[in-house]
Amino acid sequence: MPISRRVLLGSAALASASLVRPVLAQANAWPARPIRVVLGFAPGGVGDFTARLVMPRLSEALGQPIVIDNRPSAGGIIAAEAVARSAPDGYTLLLLTTTNSTAASLYRSLSYDVTRDFAPIGRMTAFDHVLLTAANSPYRSLQEVFAAARAAPGSINIGSISVGNAQHLGAELLRRMADVDLTVVPYRSTPDLVNATATGDVHIASEILAPVLSQIQGGRLRALAMTSATRFPLLPEVPTAVEAGLPDYVVGSWNGLAGPARTPPAVVERINREMVRVLADGDVRARLNELGVQPAASSPEEFAAFLRSEGARWGRVIEAANIPKQ
């Protein structure tokens, strides 16, 4: 009986090993061809620049070309659908952004679920936001803006771009948390918003720091507060919104990588490991910091939890602001 049992156990072990070997071989062979990273927005923005800075380094680490595929659409829906429907083999990835985490609360129906239909690989970077006014504006602090709004309810507006994106939701959250009557005015693009702010048509603007940093440094716009947890190193004189008297107001944008659901865990771990190494590189970090972009690498598990929390957080803001679903 002991011998028979030993034989059976040995046979089971061999069978198990035969099942494991193909999986390991497949993981070790990956990647064997170029990888495609799909972006849900057009070339030229800070998210696109970030991807084009990081992906070549990641390509070197993985030993295969990485092709960036821009597929712009509202909410990044077209890009997300394409990746969700692709083979879960690690060769088609999505650059997830803040907008992806808010889509479920903004659209009546989606053909995918961000938390169900994707395999989170890791958060990549975070984009600081800033609250701005014109260089010749009478307002030199957030508290002065709030005081003017309380003195004449509805007289002060706050500009942003694209209803439902992080800048717009940040403006809605500011209005709620400060408990002041600000009129939120969305613009089609950052240049439109910057021009309206510089001329005084917009009293205060909510925008990502990267595309307006040069306008602040050049003296066309005045930064009232950073909405990040800490001050931005290139603008050390600008307080955070928390320091400016708005406790707990921390708003920013982010991006990260994901594959289709059921992407092999070994592939996910490999991409994550190399991405973390790339983002720790001093040259990469310096070039990102020049734009107001912070490396924010995370594990797949941390990114999954972050996606859930971001969706819930902005869902509450969207509901409270009565933003209609599209």
Side-chain angles (χ1 to χ4, degrees), residues 26 30-31 33-37 62 66 86-93 121 258-260 262-264 267-268 271:
Q26 183 181 14
W30 185 93
R33 64 177 191 267
I35 300 161
R36 183 165 56 107
V37 176
L62 294 174
I66 294 181
S86 65
D89 53 15
Y91 291 103
T92 303
L93 307 177
I121 293 171
R262 299 179 301 283
T263 298
V267 172
V268 169
I271 301 172

Side-chain angles (χ1 to χ4, degrees), residues 291-304:
L291 287 179
V293 177
Q294 308 295 325
S298 72
S299 70
E301 295 77 17
E302 289 169 338
F303 192 33

